[in-house]
Amino acid sequence: MKFSWRVLVLWTLPALVIGFFFWQGAFSGTPDMSKNTATTRMTYGRFLEYLDADRVSNVDLYEGGRTAIVEAVDPELENRVQRVRVDLPSSSPELISKLKEKGVSFDAHPMRNDGAIWGLLGNLIFPILLITGLFFLFRRSSNMPGGPGQAMNFGKSKARFQMEAKTGVKFDDVAGIEEAKEELQEVVTFLKLPEKFTAVGARIPKGVLLVGPPGTGKTLLAKAIAGEAGVPFFSISGSEFVEMFVGVGASRVRDLFKKAKDNAPCIIFIDEIDAVGRQRGAGIGGGNDEREQTLNQLLTEMDGFEGNTGIIIIAATNRPDVLDAALLRPGRFDRQVTVDAPDVKGRLEVLKVHARNKKLDSGVSLEVIARRTPGFTGADLANLLNEAAILTARRRKEAITNLEIDNAVDRVVAGMEGTPLVDSKSKRLIAYHEIGHAIAGTLLKDHDPVQKVTLIPRGQAQGLTWFTPNEEQGLITRGQLKARITGALGGRAAEDVIFGSAEVTTGAGGDLQQVSGMARQMVTRFGMSDLGPISLESQQGEVFLGRDWMTRSEYSEAIASRVDAQVRVIVEECYQTARRFILENRIVMDRLVDLLIEKETIDGEEFRQIVAEYTSVPEKPQYMPSI
Ligand code: ADP
Ligand code: ZN
């Protein structure tokens, strides 16, 4: 198997193609941007931690520095190299200097290539490269643990799309997104029994657009359709169409459709279609020719085959709003299916799917985990159980217990654990800060209950107060928002009251950012201020450069300054409430701080009991058992 692949790779491809890709592989170490090699995503914060811990060996920047493929080693897994994908903030000049400082090798890959020069270079050094390439191929395939797999990736580069004859994924493997599943069940019938539809003159749709945030299972769903219908699965990521030489994207589209036609009925899956399908003519400085050519080719191909040839194209995106209208026209991606992060019931289903092959202690309740993880996507939950399993193995236990799950949740949410500070003034300050959050959170009736307070650092945070969300975060009342703002200000209020205004620290920076964000939204989006029930902002998230530049903000300067004033009123009121909690509960705070410094962690139940000895604690709807 190993050998035949190599032969196939080496001798059946046109020489130039080989040379070109080896050139990439050997010199720039270009990882394949396909989901194949970097399905796992890492948050930017986590990436920085890895960087600090010298666990990053190589970084490749894409899309003008907005995405990176990072190679990190995991000492816990015998230094296995892992390739993960990181979305970077739009500008991070410090990152480059940090990479330099850490001595990490990095490289940037242009979005639009200066084709001619690179092409020429590629041709000139081709002979040397071929040899180096061969060398690398053999070396890699014999040394790497996953040898043949690595070598095969070069081969696959030829087409840059993957074909799986049998995905082996079934609808049973996809959980928690029932509506989407139901919608797509029909697609399986289109593929299996097209006659049923064509007989009555129905046109079988060609394209389905899956809309939803990363990690919610869009790829999995597309694979499940192929798996259920027993048809081959072709996949490519939109970003792979556009990062190459001019003209290559379009020819890739042609190749892909040709291959698909030969293998019909089949599924074509295009991930991140927004990378290629953005509105044409938008963007500063005109469009991107390469991308537009590719998009045009895609449209042409979609129009070129009859609806009943048995090819169904499934595309995924998180930004349907930036897509070119032509893509959404009837006969193209005219069906849209939303795939959202699962609710508590959905999370339980996802956990059940991923717990199938894991050994869980009888004390572990998946339901409790589901409740503790609002906002987690399917991928997060899968990751969570996997982290717990790794921890279990490391601790040489027989089965995953609540402790490992608990640690894994903390780790997935807040990053890796650090070493606690030694007792010092700053440790006391952090303790007061955290207890400040927890006291405010406990005494506010509308605030989620405290789950635990800890001084064990995680990620960027030196201490953390965890709250247990009581119910699904559906509708949030004004009272709850104000409670959250007050709770978030509790940390700074404690620093201020106890240490004096000259001693307050930068540690509250993150809290304050959240506070401003929440207060501003109360005014401009939810009509919860004296300005009255008006909405001043469209719900647009990220700026789509070029288009949004042309739309001015929707309100006048005069309104803007009233907004600012209202934001200040809300924040000020909440801050005074938080200060009052601290002033009135100084004695119990001192006791809690001593306890926290001694024990590092206080759990919510104990915290409430101690507070209740001094003052009355409001009853909150049903506390979650802490796990
Ligand atoms: P997306 O394509 O939406 O970014 P993926 O389909 O690639 O997400 O999900 C990544 C992994 O997360 C999947 O391989 C699967 O293990 C897990 N996962 C995500 N969503 C679900 C789900 N709804 N049910 C089961 N597993 C899921
Ligand atoms: Zn804080």
Side-chain angles (χ1 to χ4, degrees):
M1 170 71 191
K2 184 168 156 186
F3 187 71
S4 65
W5 257 107
R6 221 182 272 158
V7 169
L8 189 77
V9 168
L10 290 181
W11 305 118
T12 60
L13 311 184
L16 204 71
V17 177
I18 305 181
F20 170 66
F21 284 109
F22 282 158
W23 163 63
Q24 280 215 321
F27 283 79
S28 52
T30 310
D32 191 345
M33 273 285 273
S34 71
K35 309 259 313 184
N36 215 26
T37 53
T39 16
T40 348
R41 290 184 176 82
M42 191 192 251
T43 62
Y44 183 57
R46 192 92 170 265
F47 165 52
L48 290 180
E49 275 165 40
Y50 268 65
L51 202 56
D52 283 332
D54 293 315
R55 289 170 61 179
V56 173
S57 53
N58 187 47
V59 175
D60 284 276
L61 298 164
Y62 287 88
E63 297 173 4
R66 281 191 294 127
T67 312
I69 298 286
V70 171
E71 281 182 17
V73 287
D74 200 336
E76 286 153 13
L77 295 173
E78 298 160 4
N79 282 333
R80 213 171 64 202
V81 180
Q82 235 187 335
R83 223 171 232 179
V84 290
R85 175 174 178 155
V86 181
D87 291 325
L88 304 174
S90 55
S91 83
S92 42
E94 333 76 79
L95 181 62
I96 301 291
S97 44
K98 192 152 186 182
L99 288 173
K100 276 193 204 139
E101 177 197 318
K102 288 274 174 194
V104 175
S105 72
F106 64 98
D107 195 3
H109 303 273
M111 245 202 295
R112 184 159 38 154
N113 267 297
D114 330 70
I117 293 193
W118 289 117
L120 193 66
L121 256 178
N123 281 337
L124 279 181
I125 41 179
F126 166 62
I128 312 167
L129 299 174
L130 181 57
I131 294 160
T132 330
L134 286 173
F135 173 67
F136 262 69
L137 181 74
F138 283 109
R139 225 190 47 160
R140 291 185 88 153
S141 51
S142 52
N143 288 354
M144 299 281 291
Q150 279 291 330
M152 263 161 63
N153 278 334
F154 285 129
K156 279 181 182 163
S157 307
K158 174 191 101 176
R160 286 277 173 144
F161 55 81
Q162 275 81 45
M163 180 186 149
E164 285 178 53
K166 283 203 171 65
T167 62
V169 180
K170 289 285 157 84
F171 273 132
D172 268 356
D173 301 320
V174 189
I177 37 177
E178 294 309 318
E179 292 88 7
K181 251 165 80 174
E182 252 160 52
E183 283 256 9
L184 293 171
Q185 215 105 42
E186 202 182 21
V187 176
V188 176
T189 325
F190 291 152
L191 288 164
K192 273 178 141 167
L193 305 164
E195 320 80 55
K196 220 172 121 184
F197 297 87
T198 46
V200 293
R203 184 174 54 80
I204 291 175
K206 291 179 188 170
V208 180
L209 190 64
L210 302 180
V211 178
T216 44
K218 297 183 292 300
T219 314
L220 195 67
L221 207 47
K223 283 190 176 172
I225 295 170
E228 289 281 344
V231 301
F233 179 78
F234 290 85
S235 67
I236 188 162
S237 168
S239 55
E240 284 166 62
F241 282 132
V242 285
E243 64 179 323
M244 301 303 297
F245 296 65
V246 175
V248 170
S251 85
R252 268 195 192 147
V253 174
R254 267 194 304 275
D255 279 358
L256 175 64
F257 277 83
K258 191 167 164 300
K259 261 270 156 45
K261 276 177 204 154
D262 294 345
N263 287 283
C266 67
I267 293 277
I268 298 181
F269 179 67
I270 307 178
D271 204 357
E272 302 176 66
I273 192 159
D274 43 297
V276 55
R278 266 177 200 242
Q279 233 173 44
R280 282 167 292 187
I284 288 169
N288 176 332
D289 291 341
E290 161 62 352
R291 190 171 59 67
E292 290 190 3
Q293 267 188 31
T294 312
L295 175 56
N296 287 335
Q297 188 66 39
L298 182 63
L299 295 173
T300 315
E301 293 288 349
M302 282 191 85
D303 293 342
F305 67 84
E306 285 302 314
N308 41 18
T309 34
I311 302 177
I312 292 187
I313 308 166
I314 300 178
T317 180
N318 196 17
R319 301 291 317 264
D321 51 318
V322 305
L323 290 184
D324 198 287
L327 270 175
L328 306 176
R329 228 169 265 156
R332 291 169 186 158
F333 293 101
D334 46 5
R335 289 203 169 194
Q336 281 199 24
V337 176
T338 309
V339 186
D340 262 330
D343 60 5
V344 66
K345 237 178 90 219
R347 290 198 299 273
L348 180 61
E349 297 304 314
V350 177
L351 285 167
K352 280 185 189 158
V353 167
H354 289 276
R356 273 186 213 153
N357 59 357
K358 303 211 167 47
K359 262 208 189 129
L360 295 180
D361 186 80
S362 56
V364 172
S365 151
L366 295 180
E367 204 160 303
V368 174
I369 309 174
R371 280 180 201 269
R372 243 205 99 180
T373 46
F376 273 45
T377 62
D380 292 333
L381 293 168
N383 183 18
L384 169 71
L385 285 184
N386 192 46
E387 289 262 354
I390 291 176
L391 278 175
T392 309
R394 201 184 310 144
R395 293 173 186 171
R396 301 211 162 72
K397 292 194 186 174
E398 296 278 294
I400 303 173
T401 71
N402 279 327
L403 185 67
E404 280 77 39
I405 303 252
D406 203 16
N407 292 158
V409 175
D410 290 359
R411 189 163 167 178
V412 171
V413 175
M416 261 179 297
E417 204 170 274
T419 27
L421 293 171
V422 288
D423 194 359
S424 62
K425 183 177 162 204
S426 68
K427 185 165 184 172
R428 290 201 95 74
L429 186 130
I430 295 163
Y432 273 102
H433 177 110
E434 296 308 328
I435 299 283
H437 285 307
I439 282 272
T442 303
L443 297 180
L444 285 159
K445 190 176 159 298
D446 285 333
H447 203 290
D448 293 332
V450 174
Q451 194 213 341
K452 68 180 177 198
V453 193
T454 171
L455 287 184
I456 298 172
R458 257 182 207 284
Q460 315 281 13
Q462 289 295 332
L464 282 166
T465 307
W466 296 79
F467 296 97
T468 325
N470 248 320
E471 54 204 277
E472 281 303 301
Q473 322 256 303
L475 298 176
I476 307 171
T477 64
R478 178 182 187 161
Q480 282 168 326
L481 278 172
K482 281 176 83 169
R484 281 185 201 176
I485 294 178
T486 313
L489 287 167
R492 164 53 63 86
E495 292 179 24
D496 190 8
V497 169
I498 289 155
F499 293 83
S501 65
E503 297 289 317
V504 298
T505 66
T506 51
D511 297 335
L512 299 186
Q513 218 167 10
Q514 278 187 2
V515 165
S516 311
M518 283 188 280
R520 184 160 290 275
Q521 293 201 32
M522 283 176 74
V523 180
T524 59
R525 278 183 57 196
F526 307 129
M528 293 177 177
S529 75
D530 290 352
L531 282 188
I534 42 170
S535 170
L536 296 168
E537 262 161 35
S538 51
Q539 209 197 338
Q540 273 296 331
E542 185 186 327
V543 182
F544 176 34
L545 222 58
R547 203 174 59 177
D548 291 353
W549 263 21
M550 285 177 274
T551 50
R552 293 260 153 251
S553 74
E554 288 158 31
Y555 46 89
S556 66
E557 295 273 319
I559 295 274
S561 68
R562 285 178 63 194
V563 168
D564 290 341
Q566 283 299 314
V567 170
R568 239 175 302 135
V569 167
I570 294 175
V571 174
E572 191 51 37
E573 186 196 324
C574 293
Y575 189 58
Q576 290 314 330
T577 315
R579 277 181 62 101
R580 213 185 61 234
F581 283 133
I582 310 293
L583 283 165
E584 289 171 1
N585 295 284
R586 180 63 201 263
I587 299 170
V588 64
M589 277 194 77
D590 290 345
R591 177 170 158 199
L592 286 164
V593 163
D594 286 339
L595 186 67
L596 186 59
I597 285 181
E598 182 198 320
K599 287 183 37 173
E600 313 261 71
T601 301
I602 305 179
D603 85 67
E605 208 40 61
E606 186 179 2
F607 189 91
R608 275 182 291 278
Q609 273 166 17
I610 297 179
V611 178
E613 289 175 26
Y614 295 78
T615 180
S616 68
V617 174
E619 197 60 35
K620 296 189 192 186
Q622 168 217 329
Y623 292 129
M624 212 58 56
S626 65
I627 51 174

